[in-house]
Amino acid sequence: MTTPPLRRRTLLAGALSLGTALGALGTTGQASAADGTGTGTGLGTSGGTPVPGVVVDCEAWGARPPKSPVRVLSARAQKIIVHHTATANVADLGYDRAFALARAMQTDQMDVRGWIDTGQHFTLSRGAFVTEGRHQSLAALYSGTQIVEAAHCTGQNTVAIGIENEGTYITEEPRAEQYAALVELCAEVCRRYGIRPYQIYGHRDFNNTQCPGDRLYAMLPQLRADVAARIGGDPAAPAWPLLRTGDLNERVRVLQCLLVQRGAAIVPDGSFGPATEAAVRAFQKLIEAGIDGVAGRQTWNQLCGPVAQGAAGEAVKAVQSRLAASGFPTSADGQFGPGTRDQVIAFQSARSLPADGVVDARTWSHLLI
């Protein structure tokens, strides 16, 4: 089957439910795109004017060309990171406002921050209009096998789709229509890339920031649940242990192995001493997390990337040692071969996790807790 070309405005697969949610508002939220070959209403425009469920690409909203070519990676996105723009919660809900916001963000990020283009992949306006952020993000999403390297979250820009939500959500929640569009956008991104609902995060889960605001961040469990209701799966987010100086256990050894994998010069001995604290602080500085020397949510979220068959090194040793400690005998040789994969699948099945043999955030979490 020949893949149809992307149009300047492309409907989200699942746009029928999005359009119903938005009603006569006539808007489309931030980030995303699809070809309409899913369960939605298909490709289409309405007299050249954006309509509910439509995503508008860079050309259509008047984007400047990037300063240099954007980098398109041949890899699927692993997660979604939700942001807020920290701008005014405006009453202007029209698509002209959404386009003006997209242009203003690009100007700031290119001319003030010095980036090559807009930092996020998609932007969702207060009126629920969706605009493409960084060039080629829409085409990459459409493919389901590529991701554009972005600049929305230090440490995650090559693996996570960034969605900016217009407004400031520290004491106020997004408009219902904006939230409905966010749910449908996240569901479509998950469908395209095979992302599970529990892999939807807030910016503060990785970096030292208030983003996406206390109120929107508090809505993320509901967002995961609403996305799971559309695509299936368990929405429960990973849980992490809190480790600090003085701790002495196998979880500390895992932490040390993961730090060594990232270049730390420490010995994984299971003892959280001064050298381990220094390594944690150095890593936290690198990833722009809160620097406190304590291994918590941000540190684990940044360290625990997916590990699968073919991988090698200290992270694999950590997986193998935790499997063995959990009753799934595995030799800790640092080589993720078929035997390790079989034991990972057995562990995942026993814990009611997706049994695919890939140690993702949820599997890491269950190995540690």
Side-chain angles (χ1 to χ4, degrees), residues 17 65 67 75 80 87 157 185 188 233 261 266 279 310 316 328 347 356:
S17 59
K67 292 179 181 179
I80 295 170
T87 54
N157 288 313
L185 175 58
E188 183 57 26
Q261 187 84 25
I266 56 176
V316 176
F328 298 86
F347 175 84
D356 58 4

Side-chain angles (χ1 to χ4, degrees), residues 169 201-202 204-205 211-221 297:
Y169 299 112
Y201 299 90
R204 67 174 66 178
D205 287 321
C211 183
D214 292 347
R215 296 299 291 274
L216 180 52
Y217 186 76
M219 295 173 72
L220 293 186
R297 182 185 74 246

Side-chain angles (χ1 to χ4, degrees), residues 339-363:
T340 297
R341 182 177 185 275
D342 289 345
Q343 292 296 67
V344 169
I345 290 173
F347 175 84
Q348 291 171 327
S349 297
R351 300 300 178 91
S352 300
L353 299 168
D356 58 4
V358 177
V359 183
D360 69 355
R362 277 287 296 283
T363 301

Side-chain angles (χ1 to χ4, degrees), residues 34-272:
D35 64 350
T37 59
T39 59
T41 56
L43 291 167
T45 58
S46 177
T49 300
V51 295
V54 175
V55 62
V56 182
D57 73 7
C58 290
E59 180 185 358
W61 59 257
R64 295 158 51 183
K67 292 179 181 179
S68 58
V70 299
R71 186 179 174 212
V72 182
L73 306 174
S74 296
R76 305 183 87 185
Q78 300 168 7
K79 63 196 73 171
I80 295 170
I81 299 178
V82 174
H83 304 259
H84 71 173
T85 61
T87 54
N89 294 336
V90 298
D92 185 346
L93 307 179
Y95 68 85
D96 286 341
R97 163 65 193 181
F99 293 2
L101 172 69
R103 290 190 292 268
M105 292 187 71
Q106 187 188 43
T107 296
D108 172 74
Q109 291 165 7
M110 291 179 69
D111 296 349
V112 178
R113 304 190 192 196
W115 299 348
I116 64 168
D117 195 2
T118 302
Q120 71 277 5
H121 295 94
F122 302 101
T123 306
L124 178 54
S125 77
R126 291 266 297 168
F129 284 95
V130 182
T131 52
E132 181 182 31
R134 182 156 291 201
H135 283 77
Q136 299 187 55
S137 296
L138 195 56
L141 174 63
Y142 181 83
S143 76
T145 60
Q146 297 177 318
I147 182 173
V148 172
E149 182 176 14
H152 62 93
C153 180
T154 300
Q156 299 295 310
N157 288 313
T158 61
V159 296
I161 295 297
I163 300 177
E164 285 279 1
N165 293 271
E166 180 186 17
T168 299
Y169 299 112
I170 296 173
T171 60
E172 181 179 335
E173 293 184 355
R175 300 178 62 251
E177 295 84 355
Q178 185 180 15
Y179 175 77
L182 178 62
V183 171
E184 297 302 336
L185 175 58
C186 288
E188 183 57 26
V189 173
C190 288
R191 289 188 192 102
R192 287 284 169 180
Y193 286 121
I195 297 171
R196 297 184 175 110
Y198 57 75
Q199 293 280 53
I200 299 173
Y201 299 90
H203 190 183
R204 67 174 66 178
D205 287 321
F206 300 93
N207 298 154
N208 188 26
T209 175
Q210 287 187 313
C211 183
D214 292 347
R215 296 299 291 274
L216 180 52
Y217 186 76
M219 295 173 72
L220 293 186
Q222 186 62 52
L223 175 62
R224 297 183 192 106
D226 288 339
V227 171
R230 285 156 176 77
I231 69 171
D234 187 340
W240 304 110
L242 196 64
L243 301 179
R244 53 170 53 89
T245 297
D247 287 339
L248 180 65
N249 54 53
E250 286 303 305
R251 293 175 180 82
V252 174
R253 190 186 301 276
V254 171
L255 172 67
Q256 293 166 328
C257 286
L258 293 173
L259 289 167
V260 169
Q261 187 84 25
R262 297 298 188 98
I266 56 176
V267 176
D269 59 3
S271 177
F272 200 129

Side-chain angles (χ1 to χ4, degrees), residues 258 303-309 311-312 315-316 319 336 344 357-360 364:
L258 293 173
L303 283 173
C304 290
V307 181
Q309 187 168 338
V316 176
V319 169
F336 200 128
V344 169
V358 177
V359 183
D360 69 355
W364 271 118

